[in-house]
Amino acid sequence: MAFLGGPLTFLDQLRFRFTETLKMKEDEIIAPLHAEYFIALGTAFSSMKEKTITLANLVEKLSNMDLSSVKKDTVTLPPLFRSEQELADFRAKHNQMKAPRADLADYEGDAYLGIDAGSTTTKLILMGQKNEILYSYYGSNNGSPLQSVIDETSKLYEVLPEQVRIVQSGITGYGESLIKAALKIDVGEIETVAHYRAAREFLPDVDFILDIGGQDMKCMKIKNGALDSLMLNEACSAGCGSFLETFAKTLHVPIEEFAKRALSATAPVDLGSRCTVFMNSKVKQVQKEGVSLEDLSAGLAYSVVKNALQKVIKLRSPKDIGEKVIVQGGTFYNEAVLRAFELLTGREVVRPDIAGMMGAYGAALIAKEHYETGTVTEMLVLEKLRDFSAETSQSRCNLCSNTCQLTVTRFGDDRTFVSGNRCERGERVETVKNLLPNLYAYKLKRTFDYKACKKK
């Protein structure tokens, strides 16, 4: 058996697993050098008997190839925009919904910090008394939500004027529990509540919220001013922000340019709504048929929305969406995705200018609502953030038959945070014993625990 191709060339453990599973001997295995090039070598050898052609002629033929004559099996969709004027009107409409802002340097008084520790990004918003944004940050967490929050909060402290006081802090997102414990954040709130609170600030009578983040998707339906139902995407992150970013990187195109090119598509390809593995195959197929980058990008934007409507919301009728719709999450900064949602649902929606930071804004609003005049935030100050340290270890909880695998984080000031536990016993929190006597136990002992008298 010959092991050819890139994966079997560079991953020696993959070769080992094949040989072990198939119970092969060394003399039955061929693992040649440069096996990743064997397909190219095969085509080169097969062309040796063909007519000679110069490299310049080959490049010229490829450059002048007319792919429009190639038979295409791909179904196309309507363009996102039919004219430049339609695009301009679309942008003018969506640029109206802006959060209030103020200059941090000119502000005086109490401020409220909101943090959204997301799956792929970190968002911070410092909010004033009138719910105006004084400072904001949106960026990748580089795989470490805790360190990212520490770094960006430290930068905020460094530029914070003396006349501005952070009196309350709030946090939401994937890293909410850990970071709340680590940095002593005052208020922790689940994502859905934080996002809904922020949405109400832009559209008080909102009845439908769709949030598409980096690796998750949430659909919230509101009834009588409260969350009525919540739908989440499954374990697969297909159809989220990272889904589009991955394809852009594959094509060596920045995600900003990739999204922009979709706006000028004339015949977006219909890629359906598949998981990432099957979508890769479909994309390769349409690329072979000569589909342009513009049409491919627009087709992927349609695919993201179809995944949300068919797999998460499970839409049966446009009436199921509601009348007052807000879309949020970093993915909706992509104008192609936003437009595709409007075209497929027939709804005109509201996208705030802080669509990707709604969680942080909601956390700041909730922190303000929890604030009591005169209280002081317990959040770590700049000096303690600079000295902050944490170590992580793994252990097992043996207090019951579940034997949960615990992740124990120990902070520099001897505090600990435990995650992975299924119940409160795994948190290893010492409970205060009840010092009052148990009268039933006392009565039982007095009645039955006496020893018989010895016979004289």
Side-chain angles (χ1 to χ4, degrees):
M1 178 182 286
F3 288 144
L4 306 178
L8 288 168
T9 300
F10 300 112
L11 303 175
D12 57 347
Q13 289 301 310
L14 182 61
R15 296 197 302 271
F16 173 75
R17 188 58 59 193
F18 263 110
T19 56
E20 185 181 63
T21 303
L22 299 175
K23 298 179 181 180
M24 301 175 65
K25 299 177 182 179
E26 280 193 33
D27 58 354
E28 297 175 329
I29 301 168
I30 302 173
L33 292 172
H34 307 301
E36 69 272 26
Y37 300 124
F38 264 51
I39 295 176
L41 285 170
T43 57
F45 286 137
S46 64
S47 67
M48 292 177 67
K49 297 180 181 180
E50 300 295 329
K51 182 180 178 182
T52 303
I53 183 173
T54 64
L55 187 59
N57 288 338
L58 178 61
V59 171
E60 184 181 357
K61 283 188 174 184
L62 291 174
S63 301
N64 297 329
M65 182 180 294
D66 183 13
L67 295 174
S68 61
S69 59
V70 179
K71 182 181 178 181
K72 298 180 181 179
D73 298 323
T74 304
V75 179
T76 60
L77 296 166
L80 297 174
F81 298 99
R82 299 186 181 277
S83 66
E84 289 291 333
Q85 185 58 47
E86 195 174 26
L87 173 59
D89 294 341
F90 169 84
R91 285 174 170 167
K93 179 185 68 175
H94 286 289
N95 287 337
Q96 293 175 1
M97 196 59 67
K98 295 184 177 181
R101 284 177 168 79
D103 191 350
L104 178 60
D106 299 331
Y107 182 80
E108 293 185 14
D110 297 343
Y112 310 90
L113 178 63
I115 302 170
D116 183 0
S119 56
T120 59
T121 57
T122 295
K123 287 81 74 176
L124 268 73
I125 281 184
L126 186 66
M127 187 184 74
Q129 288 282 15
K130 297 180 180 179
N131 299 346
E132 71 274 36
I133 296 176
L134 306 172
Y135 176 93
S136 63
Y137 168 79
Y138 182 106
S140 172
N141 61 23
N142 298 315
S144 178
L146 176 57
Q147 190 57 50
S148 176
V149 171
I150 291 172
D151 293 342
E152 297 310 321
T153 306
S154 299
K155 291 177 183 178
L156 169 60
Y157 272 126
E158 290 171 357
V159 299
L160 194 68
E162 293 183 3
Q163 68 272 17
V164 180
R165 300 176 300 279
I166 299 178
V167 295
Q168 194 83 339
S169 57
I171 185 168
T172 189
Y174 276 87
E176 177 248 322
S177 298
L178 171 62
I179 299 172
K180 181 179 183 293
L183 307 186
K184 298 184 178 180
I185 305 296
D186 302 301
V187 181
E189 190 56 88
I190 59 173
E191 288 182 87
T192 51
V193 175
H195 282 277
Y196 172 46
R197 179 63 189 88
R200 273 174 39 206
E201 200 68 16
F202 290 90
L203 199 61
D205 53 350
V206 59
D207 58 9
F208 185 92
I209 302 170
L210 178 62
D211 178 89
I212 303 181
Q215 293 185 347
D216 71 342
M217 190 183 300
K218 297 180 288 292
C219 168
M220 293 167 269
K221 292 184 179 180
I222 317 300
K223 188 176 181 180
N224 298 325
L227 284 168
D228 181 59
S229 64
L230 170 66
M231 290 165 280
L232 303 171
N233 65 324
E234 298 174 356
C236 180
S237 63
C240 300
S242 58
F243 175 78
L244 291 173
E245 193 170 358
T246 298
F247 276 106
K249 286 182 179 179
T250 302
L251 299 170
H252 305 290
V253 178
I255 184 61
E256 295 81 8
E257 182 184 347
F258 188 69
K260 186 178 180 181
R261 297 280 285 271
L263 305 179
S264 56
T266 56
V269 290
D270 187 359
L271 299 170
S273 58
R274 298 172 172 83
C275 81
T276 306
V277 176
F278 294 106
M279 186 64 75
N280 274 322
S281 301
K282 182 65 175 178
V283 168
K284 288 178 181 177
Q285 177 187 335
V286 298
Q287 283 179 316
K288 289 177 182 177
E289 295 176 359
V291 170
S292 66
L293 179 61
E294 289 79 4
D295 291 337
L296 176 60
S297 178
L300 286 169
Y302 270 113
S303 177
V304 166
V305 177
K306 284 185 176 182
N307 186 66
L309 298 178
Q310 298 172 10
K311 302 289 180 64
V312 179
I313 305 174
K314 296 180 174 61
L315 189 68
R316 296 179 181 177
S317 167
K319 294 179 181 179
D320 295 340
I321 289 184
E323 297 297 330
K324 304 290 185 179
V325 183
I326 280 189
V327 293
Q328 53 195 44
T331 305
F332 278 107
Y333 284 136
N334 185 329
E335 292 179 317
V337 174
L338 177 61
R339 179 62 171 175
F341 183 84
E342 290 189 336
L343 290 176
L344 290 174
T345 61
R347 288 283 192 275
E348 289 192 2
V349 303
V350 172
R351 183 202 60 182
D353 66 326
I354 57 168
M357 296 188 289
M358 292 289 274
Y361 192 51
L365 290 166
I366 292 170
K368 181 184 176 183
E369 292 170 354
H370 281 73
Y371 175 65
E372 296 180 5
T373 305
T375 57
V376 180
T377 179
E378 295 183 359
M379 187 177 68
L380 298 185
V381 295
L382 179 59
E383 292 74 17
K384 292 187 177 181
L385 285 176
R386 288 172 174 168
D387 297 335
F388 182 86
S389 63
E391 293 182 357
T392 303
S393 60
Q394 304 291 328
S395 68
R396 286 279 180 183
C397 176
N398 297 313
L399 297 177
C400 72
S401 59
N402 284 329
T403 61
C404 299
Q405 182 172 348
L406 306 177
T407 301
V408 182
T409 306
R410 293 178 174 84
F411 307 124
D413 55 1
D414 295 330
R415 292 180 296 119
T416 60
F417 175 79
V418 180
S419 60
N421 50 303
R422 301 182 194 177
C423 71
E424 68 279 359
R425 298 178 70 190
E427 295 178 6
R428 300 179 180 180
V429 177
E430 295 183 4
T431 56
V432 179
K433 294 182 179 180
N434 189 355
L435 301 178
L436 295 175
N438 187 334
L439 297 180
Y440 289 98
Y442 175 76
K443 179 181 178 181
L444 185 68
K445 185 176 181 181
R446 290 283 291 179
T447 306
F448 297 106
D449 281 7
Y450 283 107
K451 292 182 180 179
C453 296
K454 294 181 179 179
K455 294 182 178 180
K456 293 184 179 180

